[in-house]
Amino acid sequence: MHVTTETRHPGVQALIDAAAQLPGWLHRHAYYSRQEAARRPEVAEHAYAVALYTWDLASALRFDHEAAYEIHEAARLHDIGKLSVDDAILYKPGRLTPSESAEMKLHAAYGYALLSVDGAPPLFAEIAKFHHERYDGFGYNGLKGEGIPVEARVVQIADVYEALTAKRPYKDPMRPEDALTSMIADVPSPGFGRRSFDPGYLRVFVRLRLETDPELADGHSANMDFADRIERIERIRALRDFAASDPMLDYAPGELPDGLVLKGSGARLLYRVEADGARGDLLAVVRANGTILSDMPRDAVRSALAARREEPEYDGPGMRAAY
């Protein structure tokens, strides 16, 4: 989804031209934020909430403070492209037509163009463009699995959860347990469910919500009638079971890259697979602090894996595969 000079929305170009007159990125960032708050207050409110969920998830994944902060700031402008989506489409109470849906999807490309201005950290434009990717490959740009930038995978989970639990002109908010239940549903692609999300990160997010959201506490169902209370208890039990489950169980053989090992902590390891099926060189392990171990000789792989067994904290949620 690329917005060229020839096809760029005139509103996008006007915003870019206005931002270009400002002396630096901080001024352009503030200008975009003011425009969003004034012209799309509901979008701005959504973005603030998504940024908070993003910070919580990135912290739970043990991203270092600087990386978590940058993801938080980029998430704050992830929907900036909606400034150029027509009001009639953005606030339509009913289902969008195919042409309206296509226009709505362009907000990711518009955001990418707006945030590709001089001085902007590349992560801002990247998240704007890729926050609607799906792990199963059925997102806006068709990126799949580990090919989706890690930061976009984090923002996508936060974005979907906030959208489900927030009130919109066209829908009522879902209860947290209902939103999470829909996100973890075992639905074949391209249907909406757990295959839409990074399997390890989704489990960390569900666990995080269960641990920190007072609406998911056991006592919150006290005022419900008996049937609703039992249903809610069952849903929360299912969420806990999912959070503790093995993400490798979500996929059949051949559905993931050879040698990719996913963990419920969010960590992952990726091996090169030899012709006889034996695991060969470890391509990369990325620690939560950003340290990358790549193209390691076999003896180093053995040492690293032995060290991981001795030091559990090395197997942190922030580790992720790098190609």
Side-chain angles (χ1 to χ4, degrees):
M1 186 185 304
H2 181 62
V3 179
T4 66
T5 302
E6 293 75 26
T7 62
R8 184 176 290 157
H9 190 289
V12 174
Q13 189 60 58
L15 287 165
I16 291 173
D17 292 343
Q21 303 304 311
L22 300 172
W25 166 240
L26 291 180
H27 298 84
R28 293 162 188 165
H29 182 288
Y31 169 74
Y32 284 148
S33 296
R34 289 195 302 270
Q35 290 294 311
E36 186 178 65
R39 294 163 53 183
R40 293 286 188 265
E42 297 85 356
V43 173
E45 183 178 352
H46 162 73
Y48 275 117
V50 169
L52 291 175
Y53 286 132
T54 297
W55 171 267
D56 289 344
L57 180 54
S59 299
L61 292 168
R62 290 169 51 190
F63 287 19
D64 64 67
H65 183 84
E66 183 177 348
Y69 179 75
E70 187 176 22
I71 298 171
H72 169 274
E73 290 297 286
R76 171 62 191 83
L77 290 178
H78 76 281
D79 268 345
I80 193 66
K82 288 182 177 178
L83 282 173
S84 297
V85 176
D86 188 85
D87 284 5
I89 295 175
L90 191 63
Y91 299 115
K92 183 176 179 178
R95 183 180 295 274
L96 299 179
T97 67
S99 62
E100 290 170 340
S101 180
E103 173 62 25
M104 176 67 86
K105 288 182 178 180
L106 281 175
H107 81 271
Y110 294 157
Y112 178 78
L114 287 168
L115 295 171
S116 296
V117 295
D118 289 342
L123 182 63
F124 281 66
E126 186 175 81
I127 284 179
K129 184 175 184 179
F130 296 127
H131 71 277
H132 280 289
E133 300 310 296
R134 288 176 37 148
Y135 202 80
D136 59 5
F138 287 90
Y140 283 12
N141 295 280
L143 299 186
K144 184 175 182 179
E146 303 299 296
I148 304 169
V150 168
E151 296 84 356
R153 283 182 251 158
V154 172
V155 174
Q156 182 228 7
I157 292 173
D159 183 38
V160 170
Y161 179 73
E162 202 287 328
L164 292 175
T165 56
K167 182 176 176 57
R168 294 286 186 270
Y170 50 85
K171 75 172 189 71
D172 291 327
M174 294 177 70
R175 295 190 305 195
E177 65 270 22
D178 296 336
L180 293 173
T181 296
S182 70
M183 292 173 72
I184 71 165
D186 191 6
V187 178
S189 299
F192 175 74
R194 67 180 66 176
R195 289 169 177 262
S196 303
F197 308 100
D198 180 294
Y201 292 178
L202 180 60
R203 284 164 168 80
V204 173
F205 185 77
V206 171
R207 188 160 57 246
L208 180 65
R209 302 317 309 156
L210 289 170
E211 292 172 351
T212 62
D213 190 340
E215 289 193 48
L216 293 170
D218 291 338
H220 194 73
S221 58
N223 295 325
M224 295 181 177
D225 63 38
F226 181 76
D228 286 344
R229 186 185 309 172
I230 293 301
E231 181 181 358
R232 182 177 182 276
I233 290 172
E234 289 299 324
R235 288 198 166 195
I236 291 178
R237 180 180 293 123
L239 291 171
R240 288 174 177 156
D241 290 343
F242 172 80
S245 66
D246 181 355
M248 295 298 291
L249 298 176
D250 290 357
Y251 297 91
E255 289 187 322
L256 292 174
D258 285 344
L260 179 63
V261 179
L262 303 170
K263 296 178 177 291
S265 64
R268 62 214 57 216
L269 298 173
L270 184 64
Y271 297 86
R272 182 179 292 114
V273 178
E274 298 175 343
D276 62 0
R279 287 175 175 171
D281 294 342
L282 178 67
L283 294 185
V285 172
V286 182
R287 294 178 177 173
N289 64 7
T291 302
I292 300 176
L293 309 174
S294 63
D295 295 327
M296 298 167 63
R298 195 161 307 186
D299 288 345
V301 172
R302 293 195 187 97
S303 297
L305 294 177
R308 286 183 60 250
R309 285 193 292 271
E310 295 170 5
E311 299 178 327
E313 67 274 12
Y314 184 84
D315 184 18
M319 293 199 311
R320 49 196 186 271
Y323 288 93

